Amino acid sequence: MSVTVATLGFPRIGPRRELKTELEQHWAGRSDAASLLAVAARLRAGNWAWQRDRGADVIPSNDFSLYDHVLDTSVMVGAIPPVYGWTGGPVDSATYFAMARGTQGEAACAHGHAAHAAGGVPAAEMTKWFDTNYHYLVPEFSADQVFRLSSTKPVDEYNEARAQGIETRPVLLGPVSYLLLGKARGGDFDPLTLLPRLLPVYVAVLRALADAGAGWVQIDEPCLVLDLNDAARAAYAQAYAQLHAALDGTRLMLTTYFGDLGDNLATALALPVDGLHIDLVRAPGQLQPVLDGARPDLVLSLGVIDGRNVWRADLHAILARIAPAVRSGRTLQLAPSCSLLHSPLDLDRETALDEDVRSWLAFAVQKIGELAILARALNTGVESVRGELDAAAAAVASRRTSPRINSPAVQARVAGGSGQEGRPTPFPARQAAQRAMLDLPPFPTTTIGSFPQTPEVRQARAAQARGALADDAYEAFLKEEIAAAVRWQEEVGLDVLVHGEFERNDMVQYFGEHLSGFVFTRHGWVQSYGSRCVRPPIIYGDVARPEPMTVGWWEYAQSLTARPMKGMLTGPVTILNWSFVRDDQPRETTCRQIAYAIRDEVVDLERAGAAIIQIDEAALREGLPLRRRDWQAYLDWAVACFRIASSGVADVTQIHTHMCYSEFNDIIAAIAAMDADVISIETARSKMELLDAFVGHRYPAEIGPGVYDIHSPREPSVDEMVALLKAAARRLDARQIWVNPDCGLKTRKWPEVWPAIASMVAAARAMRAG
Ligand code: GLN
Ligand code: ZN
C-alpha cells in the first residue's frame, strides 16, 4: 500500500485576498450574494486545483468558509441564538453575517468583544482558535437547545469539487470539540450534556455525504490535545460509538492537532474510527506510543510538515523520524501538522524577498510539494527524489550556518544574562522616588498610546512606502500630527501625554522593521478572523537593535510640552507571539534576544530624558500553552524577558505596561513578578470585575483600569466613568489608581475621542474632589 499525501485544510482568502475584498464589497452593499458566492466558488476551485497539482492525493472540501468554520458548524446544526430571529430553514447570508459581525457596522474589535450597538444585534463572541492567531465565533447554546440539520454546505462543496473532477475528503468540526468550544447561555449548564441531541445531526450529515459518494470524512477533534476531564473523555467514547453504529461505509479520519494527545491517547485510540491524524511537529514524541497502541488496521495520518510556521522542512530528518511508522507496515498518509489555514499561501509571489531568506521558506503551496517529495521517497525510493532531498538539505544547512542568522554578539549577550534580571530596588522605594520626581495629582490621567489612524495618516504612510511621498515630507507630516495631538492633550488636561503612534503601521511590525533578524513579506497574509488578515513578521535570525527606533519621535513630542511624555514600546513577548518565529532555537531564546533589543531602547529613551516608559505586553496571556502543566515554564521565561527589557533604568524612571482584555486571575502572580510600576488593563466592559484579580496583596503596584470602552462607538458619560472609578476605588487603594481608556484609540475617529477623553479627565477631577 503506497503512502499518500493528505491536506487537512487550505488558506481561504485567495492569493490576492480576493475573499476579503469581496466580503467588504458585499457588506458595503456594493455586491450581491450571487457575486460573493461566485468569488467563493472560484477560490475553492483554485484551491483544489492547486493542491492536486502540487501532489496532494487526499484533498479536503468544506474547509472553505465565508467567515469562519465554527460559525459554519453552528449554522449546519441550527445553533442560531434567538436574537438573530431565525425561524428554521436554510440560514440566509444576512443572518450568517449578523452572527459574524452584528448588524451595526464594525461590530467586533480585535479582542473579540462584540459591540452592542443600539438597535442592532450583537455579533457572536469571538475568541482565539486554540493557540493560533485565528479567531472563531463561539457557539452559544441554551439549556433547551434544539439542533437540526440546517445546511447543505458540506455536501454542496463535495459535489462542487466532484463536478471539477476532484474527489475530496469533506471536513467537519467534530461534535465533541464543537460543544467544548461553545458556551452555555447563562453559564448554568455544561454544553456537553447536549451531545445526545447533537449527534443525530452529525449522523444526518455523514449519511448525506455518504449518499453523495464520499468514502472518507475528516472529522476534526483538536480538543483531544487539551486537558480534559472524565466527562469529556466519556463524551468522546459515546459520540464516536454512536456515529460508528449509524454509519455504513463512510470512513472517518479523526484529526488531532496543535499538540500531544498525552493523557487522552487511550481515549483517542479506543474510538471506533478508521484513521487518526497526529501532530508530529508540535509533538514528535507521540509517534511511538501511537504505533504501540493503535489497532493494526487504523490508518495513520502523520502531521510531519509544520502547518503553522513558514520554514522549509528538513526532509531527511522527517524520513528518519517516521521510519518506525513505515516499518510498521501500516497504511500511512503524510500531512501537514494541521490545516494550512495558518500558513501564508504561496512563496512564489514573494519576488521581492531576500534570496537567501526565501530559500529557507515554504508556504502552504510549497508545503504540499514537500509532502509529495517525502511520499515519493517512500514509495519509489530515495534515489528517485535525490535531487529534491539534497536541495532541501542544502537549504537547511545554509540556514543553520548563515552569518545572516548568527550574531555571536547577540548570542553572547543572551548567554551572559543571569536569568535574574530585574530592578534592584523594590517597588515601594521606587514608587516614593517616582512620586517625588513626577509630582502627579491623585488619579493621574493618561491614554494607552495610539491616537486615531485617520485616512490621512494611512495615506501618507502608503504614499511614503511607494515612493510617492519623500521621507522628509512624511516626517514633517507626522510631526504636525504629533504637535496637534500634544496641543490637544494639554488643552484637555491629560497629565501624562503620548505622541500618538502615528508613525506605526502596527505595534509589532513597526518594531520588526527596525530590528535586525526580521523580514517582511508582501503577500504573506494569514486569516485572523473573517475578512481580517494579518501579515506577521518573520523572525529568521538573531535579533538586535542597530539603532534607536522611537527616540527621535519621543524627543520631538517631549520638546513640545512640559508635561511628561511617555515613551511607548511593544514588549518582547508580544513581538514574539505575533510573529512567525524561527524553529531552530527555543522560542524562549528568541524572546530573550528581543528583550535585550527593547532594553537598549528603554535605556536610550531614559537617557534622552523620558521619565515614563510604557512597554506593552498585549499578547502575554495569548502565549500560554494549551496544557496547564506547561504554563509555569512559559510564564517564567516570559516574565524574565519583560524584566530584561525593563530593568536597565534608574529607580525614578517609571515603567508602565499594558495588557488587553484577559482573564488575569490565573496569571496574576506572573503579572506581579513583571514588576512594572504601573499596569493599564482593559476593564471598561467588564464593569471593573477583571480588577478583582489585582486586589489585596496579589498586586502591589499602580493600576490604570480602562474606564472608556473604545470598542464601541458609544460616547461614555462623566457619571459612567466616575461610577467605574468608584468601583475601582472600592477594590484598590485610591493612590494606586490611574485613569485611562481601554486600548485601541487608533481605531476610533477624532470626533469620538475628543469628547470621550474630556469626560474622562472630568471624571478624574471629580474623583480628586472626593
Ligand atoms: N500602545 C498600543 C495602542 O494604544 C497598545 C495596543 C494594544 O494594546 N493592543 O494602540
Ligand atoms: Zn490593549
Side-chain angles (χ1 to χ4, degrees):
M1 182 72 175
S2 68
V3 173
T4 51
V5 171
T7 48
L8 310 187
F10 202 70
R12 305 159 182 160
I13 50 180
R16 293 177 180 74
R17 284 184 296 158
E18 290 86 343
L19 182 60
K20 172 190 179 67
T21 310
E22 184 61 25
L23 280 170
E24 287 170 357
Q25 292 289 323
H26 180 70
W27 295 332
R30 288 193 290 270
S31 95
D32 59 12
S35 153
L36 173 61
L37 296 181
V39 168
R42 265 205 306 283
L43 288 172
R44 287 192 292 269
N47 286 351
W48 287 320
W50 225 325
Q51 294 176 78
R52 180 195 54 201
D53 296 347
R54 292 294 173 132
D57 306 298
V58 179
I59 297 173
S61 59
N62 198 41
D63 58 323
F64 183 85
S65 176
L66 286 175
Y67 201 95
D68 164 43
H69 58 276
V70 182
L71 174 61
D72 292 344
T73 308
S74 292
V75 167
M76 178 181 90
V77 303
I80 317 278
V83 5
Y84 301 102
W86 176 70
T87 52
V91 175
D92 60 13
S93 70
T95 306
Y96 181 83
F97 290 125
M99 292 173 75
R101 317 171 61 234
T103 51
Q104 296 262 321
E106 185 76 3
C109 71
H111 314 295
H113 293 264
H116 297 252
V121 291
E125 184 183 320
M126 191 165 54
T127 196
K128 270 168 74 78
W129 175 247
F130 298 84
D131 58 353
T132 72
N133 286 327
Y134 176 85
H135 301 76
Y136 71 93
L137 289 154
V138 179
E140 192 185 299
F141 310 116
S142 58
D144 59 356
Q145 184 70 48
V146 175
F147 295 106
R148 58 192 153 190
L149 181 56
S150 307
S151 162
T152 54
K153 179 178 183 287
V155 175
D156 293 346
E157 291 182 12
Y158 173 78
N159 286 334
E160 188 180 305
R162 202 173 218 204
Q164 289 159 34
I166 296 180
E167 181 59 30
T168 58
R169 184 173 71 185
V171 185
L172 300 175
L173 174 57
V176 181
S177 289
Y178 173 68
L179 290 174
L180 289 171
L181 293 170
K183 62 169 191 184
R185 194 172 314 128
D188 49 359
F189 65 96
D190 178 354
L192 273 184
T193 57
L194 302 174
L195 184 65
R197 281 183 244 167
L198 178 63
L199 287 174
V201 181
Y202 272 82
V203 169
V205 176
L206 289 165
R207 288 214 175 117
L209 287 168
D211 289 346
W216 280 86
V217 172
Q218 171 185 328
I219 195 147
D220 288 353
E221 288 286 6
C223 287
L224 277 167
V225 309
L226 303 180
D227 295 323
L228 297 178
N229 58 25
D230 289 344
R233 293 205 188 98
Y236 273 109
Q238 181 197 348
Y240 286 86
Q242 207 168 318
L243 294 181
H244 180 72
L247 293 180
D248 38 22
T250 305
R251 297 195 283 175
L252 295 182
M253 171 60 73
L254 183 93
T255 62
T256 66
Y257 40 82
F258 301 149
D260 199 338
L261 283 164
D263 54 356
N264 301 322
L265 178 67
T267 303
L269 290 178
L271 300 178
V273 290
D274 306 280
L276 176 68
H277 172 87
I278 51 175
D279 184 337
L280 294 179
V281 173
R282 277 280 178 90
Q286 64 180 338
L287 178 59
Q288 199 56 53
V290 167
L291 288 173
D292 292 344
R295 295 188 329 261
D297 62 324
L298 189 73
V299 176
L300 287 185
S301 167
L302 309 179
V304 290
I305 295 285
D306 196 344
R308 294 188 48 178
N309 213 331
V310 291
W311 305 106
R312 193 164 168 181
D314 184 342
L315 300 181
H316 282 300
I318 292 172
L319 288 173
R321 191 183 308 151
I322 63 176
V326 176
R327 280 197 302 273
S328 75
R330 288 169 179 279
T331 304
L332 298 180
Q333 296 181 354
L334 297 182
S337 56
C338 59
S339 168
L340 293 169
L341 178 66
H342 311 292
S343 165
L345 182 56
D346 183 12
L347 183 65
D348 290 346
R349 297 200 63 218
E350 300 298 333
T351 48
L353 203 61
D354 175 285
E355 264 310 305
D356 272 352
V357 176
R358 201 158 78 109
S359 73
W360 302 332
L361 299 175
F363 293 175
V365 168
Q366 287 71 35
K367 288 173 190 290
I368 297 174
E370 293 182 304
L371 290 166
I373 295 167
L374 290 169
R376 267 163 54 208
L378 295 176
N379 291 332
T380 56
V382 282
E383 283 316 317
S384 67
V385 282
R386 174 59 64 198
E388 288 90 335
L389 292 174
D390 287 349
V396 168
S398 130
R399 181 170 158 223
R400 189 178 304 124
T401 54
S402 170
R404 308 271 313 276
I405 279 196
N406 294 294
S407 160
V410 171
Q411 291 169 6
R413 193 171 180 197
V414 169
S418 68
Q420 305 297 318
E421 288 80 359
R423 302 185 78 181
T425 308
F427 170 73
R430 297 196 316 258
Q431 185 182 39
Q434 291 161 18
R435 280 186 176 159
M437 173 85 157
L438 290 166
D439 195 25
L440 294 168
F443 298 100
T445 54
T446 190
T447 61
I448 308 303
S450 64
F451 282 134
Q453 290 262 327
T454 58
E456 295 75 45
V457 171
R458 290 174 202 278
Q459 277 155 21
R461 188 185 306 124
Q464 190 246 5
R466 24 165 232 282
L469 183 65
D471 289 356
D472 50 352
Y474 179 60
E475 190 177 320
F477 167 82
L478 290 175
K479 283 186 165 173
E480 273 171 42
E481 294 289 315
I482 292 171
V486 171
R487 264 195 313 276
W488 166 72
Q489 291 175 85
E490 287 197 330
E491 279 162 28
V492 79
L494 285 162
D495 301 305
V496 173
L497 312 193
V498 298
H499 77 290
E501 303 181 19
F502 303 109
E503 77 287 8
R504 300 185 191 173
N505 33 24
D506 171 272
M507 65 185 287
V508 170
Q509 186 175 342
Y510 178 80
F511 289 94
E513 285 172 350
H514 288 81
L515 293 167
S516 60
F518 284 71
V519 285
F520 292 84
T521 62
R522 285 260 174 91
H523 311 282
W525 297 99
V526 180
Q527 192 173 22
S528 173
Y529 63 91
S531 64
R532 282 281 203 118
C533 304
V534 294
R535 207 170 26 159
I538 296 173
I539 306 176
Y540 71 90
D542 289 337
V543 175
R545 186 205 64 149
E547 48 194 54
M549 307 181 280
T550 64
V551 176
W553 296 117
W554 177 85
E555 281 178 323
Y556 174 69
Q558 183 67 83
S559 76
L560 304 171
T561 179
R563 298 188 198 176
M565 176 64 59
K566 265 196 284 193
M568 191 61 57
L569 304 172
T570 301
V573 185
T574 299
I575 292 179
L576 183 90
N577 283 340
W578 285 347
S579 299
F580 285 118
V581 178
R582 52 194 289 191
D583 61 352
D584 55 351
Q585 67 184 18
R587 290 173 75 80
E588 167 182 355
T589 306
T590 303
C591 199
R592 283 181 195 272
Q593 295 181 353
I594 306 169
Y596 281 106
I598 299 297
R599 178 186 177 97
D600 291 347
E601 187 74 10
V602 170
V603 168
D604 280 349
L605 280 167
E606 181 190 57
R607 192 173 299 145
I612 305 183
I613 300 165
Q614 178 172 317
I615 308 171
D616 290 332
E617 284 293 17
L620 188 119
R621 194 181 205 285
E622 285 191 25
L624 278 176
L626 293 172
R627 296 274 201 163
R628 281 262 175 180
R629 56 156 198 257
D630 302 324
W631 279 25
Q632 199 54 49
Y634 164 77
L635 289 170
D636 285 349
W637 63 252
V639 169
C641 287
F642 183 85
R643 292 169 62 109
I644 289 171
S646 59
S647 61
V649 291
D651 295 349
V652 289
T653 300
Q654 191 170 64
I655 297 289
H656 290 217
T657 189
H658 164 75
M659 288 186 196
C660 303
Y661 272 112
S662 297
E663 179 54 61
F664 296 112
N665 257 307
D666 46 11
I667 58 167
I668 191 68
I671 297 176
M674 288 165 69
D675 199 22
D677 300 305
V678 182
I679 183 171
S680 59
I681 57 172
E682 291 193 284
T683 38
R685 191 164 285 174
S686 89
K687 312 244 177 305
M688 295 292 144
E689 278 162 20
L690 289 175
L691 209 49
D692 290 341
F694 293 81
V695 170
H697 301 300
R698 305 215 287 168
Y699 197 78
E702 301 181 8
I703 310 177
V707 292
Y708 159 28
D709 172 15
I710 67 93
H711 304 299
S712 156
R714 241 185 89 256
E715 193 191 315
S717 68
V718 178
D719 287 352
E720 227 172 284
M721 290 193 272
V722 168
L724 286 173
L725 286 169
K726 286 191 173 150
R730 279 194 297 277
R731 293 171 162 90
L732 305 168
D733 176 353
R735 287 302 313 259
Q736 264 182 297
I737 301 175
W738 283 64
V739 179
N740 50 252
D742 283 350
C743 69
L745 284 181
K746 73 173 184 182
T747 61
R748 296 255 68 92
K749 301 189 170 68
W750 276 115
E752 298 166 324
V753 171
W754 288 321
I757 297 297
S759 299
M760 186 190 88
V761 171
R765 291 191 177 139
M767 293 299 290
R768 285 172 203 158

